[in-house]
mmCIF file of all heavy atoms in Angstrom:
data_model
loop_
_atom_site.group_PDB
_atom_site.id
_atom_site.type_symbol
_atom_site.label_atom_id
_atom_site.label_comp_id
_atom_site.label_asym_id
_atom_site.label_seq_id
_atom_site.Cartn_x
_atom_site.Cartn_y
_atom_site.Cartn_z
ATOM 1 N N ALA A 354 -35.867 -7.227 -35.043
ATOM 2 C CA ALA A 354 -37.267 -7.055 -34.654
ATOM 3 C C ALA A 354 -37.819 -8.343 -34.073
ATOM 4 O O ALA A 354 -38.603 -8.335 -33.116
ATOM 5 C CB ALA A 354 -38.096 -6.602 -35.861
ATOM 6 N N ARG A 413 -27.797 -14.742 -14.750
ATOM 7 C CA ARG A 413 -26.951 -15.094 -13.609
ATOM 8 C C ARG A 413 -26.116 -16.351 -13.835
ATOM 9 O O ARG A 413 -25.187 -16.626 -13.077
ATOM 10 C CB ARG A 413 -27.830 -15.283 -12.361
ATOM 11 C CG ARG A 413 -28.385 -13.963 -11.839
ATOM 12 C CD ARG A 413 -29.689 -14.119 -11.090
ATOM 13 N NE ARG A 413 -29.593 -15.006 -9.939
ATOM 14 C CZ ARG A 413 -30.636 -15.401 -9.219
ATOM 15 N NH1 ARG A 413 -31.859 -14.989 -9.548
ATOM 16 N NH2 ARG A 413 -30.471 -16.198 -8.187
ATOM 17 N N PHE A 444 -26.345 -25.127 -7.162
ATOM 18 C CA PHE A 444 -26.065 -26.556 -7.354
ATOM 19 C C PHE A 444 -25.198 -26.794 -8.594
ATOM 20 O O PHE A 444 -24.205 -27.516 -8.530
ATOM 21 C CB PHE A 444 -27.376 -27.342 -7.472
ATOM 22 C CG PHE A 444 -27.173 -28.829 -7.512
ATOM 23 C CD1 PHE A 444 -27.172 -29.574 -6.343
ATOM 24 C CD2 PHE A 444 -26.977 -29.499 -8.721
ATOM 25 C CE1 PHE A 444 -26.962 -30.941 -6.367
ATOM 26 C CE2 PHE A 444 -26.761 -30.864 -8.761
ATOM 27 C CZ PHE A 444 -26.753 -31.597 -7.576
ATOM 28 N N VAL A 467 -44.424 -29.260 -1.598
ATOM 29 C CA VAL A 467 -45.612 -28.402 -1.512
ATOM 30 C C VAL A 467 -45.819 -28.009 -0.050
ATOM 31 O O VAL A 467 -45.896 -28.868 0.833
ATOM 32 C CB VAL A 467 -46.857 -29.130 -2.045
ATOM 33 C CG1 VAL A 467 -48.105 -28.246 -1.878
ATOM 34 C CG2 VAL A 467 -46.667 -29.520 -3.505
ATOM 35 N N VAL A 673 9.161 -27.075 -31.455
ATOM 36 C CA VAL A 673 10.329 -26.221 -31.633
ATOM 37 C C VAL A 673 10.115 -25.376 -32.880
ATOM 38 O O VAL A 673 9.757 -25.882 -33.942
ATOM 39 C CB VAL A 673 11.614 -27.064 -31.747
ATOM 40 C CG1 VAL A 673 12.794 -26.171 -32.139
ATOM 41 C CG2 VAL A 673 11.904 -27.765 -30.418
ATOM 42 N N ILE A 696 5.975 -34.546 -32.927
ATOM 43 C CA ILE A 696 6.443 -34.450 -31.541
ATOM 44 C C ILE A 696 7.848 -35.003 -31.389
ATOM 45 O O ILE A 696 8.698 -34.412 -30.712
ATOM 46 C CB ILE A 696 5.468 -35.196 -30.601
ATOM 47 C CG1 ILE A 696 4.125 -34.471 -30.565
ATOM 48 C CG2 ILE A 696 6.037 -35.310 -29.188
ATOM 49 C CD1 ILE A 696 3.056 -35.189 -29.769
ATOM 50 N N GLU A 725 -5.783 -14.982 -24.560
ATOM 51 C CA GLU A 725 -6.990 -14.153 -24.534
ATOM 52 C C GLU A 725 -6.881 -12.941 -25.446
ATOM 53 O O GLU A 725 -7.861 -12.488 -26.022
ATOM 54 C CB GLU A 725 -7.262 -13.685 -23.090
ATOM 55 C CG GLU A 725 -7.927 -14.732 -22.234
ATOM 56 C CD GLU A 725 -8.066 -14.272 -20.795
ATOM 57 O OE1 GLU A 725 -7.174 -13.589 -20.288
ATOM 58 O OE2 GLU A 725 -9.073 -14.625 -20.181
ATOM 59 N N PRO A 830 16.769 8.159 -1.167
ATOM 60 C CA PRO A 830 15.492 8.439 -0.499
ATOM 61 C C PRO A 830 14.475 9.229 -1.307
ATOM 62 O O PRO A 830 13.332 9.365 -0.872
ATOM 63 C CB PRO A 830 15.920 9.214 0.754
ATOM 64 C CG PRO A 830 17.299 8.725 1.040
ATOM 65 C CD PRO A 830 17.921 8.552 -0.320
ATOM 66 N N LEU A 1025 13.531 12.566 -17.776
ATOM 67 C CA LEU A 1025 14.831 13.074 -17.324
ATOM 68 C C LEU A 1025 14.909 14.599 -17.401
ATOM 69 O O LEU A 1025 15.768 15.213 -16.760
ATOM 70 C CB LEU A 1025 15.957 12.451 -18.152
ATOM 71 C CG LEU A 1025 16.261 10.968 -17.862
ATOM 72 C CD1 LEU A 1025 17.321 10.452 -18.821
ATOM 73 C CD2 LEU A 1025 16.709 10.774 -16.415
ATOM 74 N N ALA A 1039 24.374 21.099 10.887
ATOM 75 C CA ALA A 1039 23.214 21.234 11.763
ATOM 76 C C ALA A 1039 23.615 20.826 13.175
ATOM 77 O O ALA A 1039 24.622 20.136 13.382
ATOM 78 C CB ALA A 1039 22.068 20.362 11.258
ATOM 79 N N ALA A 1048 22.337 6.585 18.805
ATOM 80 C CA ALA A 1048 21.365 6.092 17.822
ATOM 81 C C ALA A 1048 22.000 5.090 16.858
ATOM 82 O O ALA A 1048 23.178 5.185 16.518
ATOM 83 C CB ALA A 1048 20.769 7.265 17.044
#
Side-chain angles (χ1 to χ4, degrees):
R413 289 153 59 187
F444 187 91
V467 177
V673 172
I696 293 175
E725 280 175 324
L1025 287 176

